Amino acid sequence: MTMELRLSVTETGGQDESEIQAVATALAAHFGESVDLYPETGDELLASASPPDNGSGTGTETETGSAGSGPGPVQSAGRSRDRGSEQDDLEPTEREELLREEIAEILEGGPEKYKERLPEQGKLFVRDRLDLWFGDGDESGGGKTSGITFEDGKFANFDDDDDDLPADGLITGAAEFEGRDLHFMANDFTVKAGSMAEKGVEKFLRMQQRALKTGRPVLYLMDSSGGRIDQQTGFFANREGIGKYYYNHSMLSGRVPQICVLYGPCIAGAAYTPVFADFTVMVRDVSAMAIASPRMVEMVTGEDIDLQDLGGPDVHARHSGSADLIAEDEEHARELVAKLIGYLPDNSDEKPPQTEGTAPRLSPDGIDAIVPQEPNRGYDMFDVIERVVDADSVLELRPEYGKEIITAFARIDGRPIGIVANQPNHRAGAIFPDAAEKAAEFIWTCDAYDVPLLYLCDTPGFMAGSQVEKDGILEQGKKMIYATSSATVPKQSVVVRKAYGAGIYAMSGPAYDPESVIGLPSGEIAIMGPEAAINAVYANRLADIDDPDERAEREQELREEYREDIDIHRMASEVVIDEIVPPSSLRDELENRFAFYETVEKDLPDKKHGTIL
């Protein structure tokens, strides 16, 4: 293709043929195409030129004379193009190959003898663990790397002459997990038992601080024996030392989801990360966390105890409540976290991810048959839940702790919700201190990440007695009521059966700003149940009746009168609750109400913060 260009009179006036030819050559070089030059008026060809060939800088023969060498700028352009084509054939240098070898060596982790012990301990080498979580990476070049987005600080402690400490035993970076970008850290147990020191601490802190900037979740894959005592001056009490971990955890709390998985012993300082995280998963038989090792415990207290009995999964699932979920193995741990993160947004500014809704696993038509009319008969609240929420969407947290209350994530028509439900199968659904604590923390977490709340109420209220007073029933009950009061997410409260005493307060009753309080026909709301009320109010009058049959008859009459007064129909008549719904319609009713109120925004009073923790 040839471009035809015309020059104005001023451009051609007084110029000889060589000058015009130079212009043509320069233009051909600039445009990369053949050029014919004509005067502004007329058809006389003044000069023509072709683009330089391999930087020769010469044009082609023209009708007006031979092409000369092009001007400096044209020649320079030709040489530049030539250099570019030569660079396409360059290969990595020895220097790069050496770097790749160094990276490959770092990726191998600590001494081989420690890697060989891992299968006996029931756990993976940390690089294989990252492959499990994020997928296999590229095996070309510098050795196999996990399928992570990037890694920071591989060369930490690289020039340490005294110890071989690949990555200083701690890996940090970013990765894609279940379609979500997140930050991660992982201890390498083959490097000084995953212990932490100055360089690894610095990497950990940077990862946390970057999560604050990006607003993305953080995954902690913990397998650490704690800080390196022999190196404590470099990281323990420093402003940017290991203590900063927990400051950063506090700043991240409620801002981005923090999920921690334990694969081994996490002792002393390492044990705080799991409890600061929003959710903690412990792998059975291999993980543990404790403020001190068994050896230290024996030294300080004289108690002889092994690590599993001191701080294993069963201890923290049943007694301390520090473990949210227990995984049977490494693969199961990943499955649990994959399900868990599906209910959570990336950060507190975003909405939880919705999915396509599905029908409940069990028909809602069976709800009324599940709930006994007698207030003191037990049943499994999960039989109600499974008839209300999407099939296979329930993920219960802390199931072995405070069993009188169920705390679980689920979905209704694809919309994530947090469920707080009394469990009549356990101690009649009475609220004990540990159950109240569990519920308060779950409510608080759901509110932080904008997950709407569903309360299913069937409780005789807070438990009474000397032991629960010693265990702090008032303190823990206060926290549950405070969390319910302060939650600004949409709340739906369902009176399934009994709602006695302060139980109706903790379960987001009418006074606690729920979007709706709806009742099933089996519902009752009262200061206390019929038996306790009759005994409290009429005990003396009944005692004055000498005839046992007459006394029993009168007692039954009083009981029936009392139950009529607390019946859900009376509560609806007095507009204490919003509506009574047929149990088989409960799923549809909740689906419509959650959808209608999902954009509700609530404000708390202008203050720094409350004083209840």
Side-chain angles (χ1 to χ4, degrees), residues 149-384:
T149 307
F150 59 79
E151 182 178 334
D152 291 321
K154 280 194 190 80
F155 284 84
N157 256 334
F158 179 72
D159 59 356
D160 191 310
D161 296 328
D162 300 323
D163 275 312
D164 182 18
L165 302 169
D168 203 28
L170 190 140
I171 302 165
T172 61
E176 182 179 307
F177 177 66
E178 299 295 312
R180 307 273 291 276
D181 290 330
L182 50 72
H183 300 266
F184 75 90
M185 64 74 57
N187 299 107
D188 184 350
F189 201 70
T190 68
V191 179
K192 288 189 176 292
S195 59
M196 298 174 291
E198 184 178 3
K199 303 300 189 300
V201 168
E202 175 66 24
K203 291 164 61 174
F204 192 109
L205 295 177
R206 290 184 190 180
M207 181 270 297
Q208 290 180 310
Q209 289 156 359
R210 286 162 180 164
L212 276 172
K213 294 178 182 178
T214 64
R216 292 193 173 105
V218 183
L219 177 65
Y220 304 92
L221 304 178
M222 296 287 295
D223 192 359
S224 174
S225 58
R228 291 179 205 153
I229 298 175
D230 59 339
Q231 300 177 28
Q232 62 178 298
T233 54
F235 69 88
F236 175 62
N238 308 44
R239 285 182 178 272
E240 296 297 320
I242 199 170
K244 195 79 169 189
Y245 279 17
Y246 318 117
Y247 174 87
N248 287 344
H249 278 308
S250 301
M251 296 303 102
L252 287 164
S253 179
R255 174 57 185 156
V256 301
Q258 299 181 84
I259 301 173
C260 182
V261 184
L262 271 65
Y263 293 98
C266 291
I267 306 300
Y272 283 107
T273 286
V275 296
F276 267 97
D278 297 311
F279 305 97
T280 299
V281 181
M282 297 184 74
V283 179
R284 191 175 297 284
D285 297 328
V286 298
S287 67
M289 56 179 168
I291 199 69
S293 67
R295 184 168 58 181
M296 184 64 69
V297 168
E298 184 174 13
M299 185 186 305
V300 173
T301 70
E303 181 182 12
D304 183 12
I305 190 169
D306 67 28
L307 187 57
Q308 287 297 307
D309 289 337
L310 177 65
D314 288 339
V315 172
H316 291 299
R318 298 175 182 172
H319 302 293
S320 76
S322 294
D324 293 283
L325 295 164
I326 304 300
E328 297 304 318
D329 52 36
E330 296 220 14
E331 290 78 8
H332 188 213
R334 189 196 184 284
E335 292 170 10
L336 290 173
V337 175
K339 188 168 186 178
L340 172 62
I341 203 170
Y343 301 102
L344 303 169
D346 281 347
N347 57 64
S348 56
D349 292 334
E350 298 183 6
K351 293 288 185 182
Q354 294 192 21
T355 63
E356 289 294 323
T358 59
R361 185 174 66 85
L362 301 173
S363 171
D365 291 346
I367 291 176
D368 199 39
I370 294 297
V371 183
Q373 186 62 40
E374 301 87 342
N376 55 357
R377 276 186 56 192
Y379 67 97
D380 190 349
M381 184 62 81
F382 277 110
D383 288 339
V384 174

Side-chain angles (χ1 to χ4, degrees), residues 486-546:
S486 301
T488 60
V489 293
K491 296 178 289 188
Q492 301 292 334
S493 181
V494 180
V495 180
V496 177
R497 192 174 53 169
K498 56 187 181 293
Y500 298 160
I504 187 62
Y505 303 161
M507 297 300 289
S508 197
Y512 288 82
D513 198 25
E515 275 46 69
S516 316
V517 178
I518 56 181
L520 300 186
S522 47
E524 297 178 338
I525 300 177
I527 293 176
M528 60 185 69
E531 301 294 338
I534 299 306
N535 183 60
V537 178
Y538 299 106
N540 291 336
R541 296 184 192 179
L542 290 171
D544 290 339
I545 301 175
D546 294 328

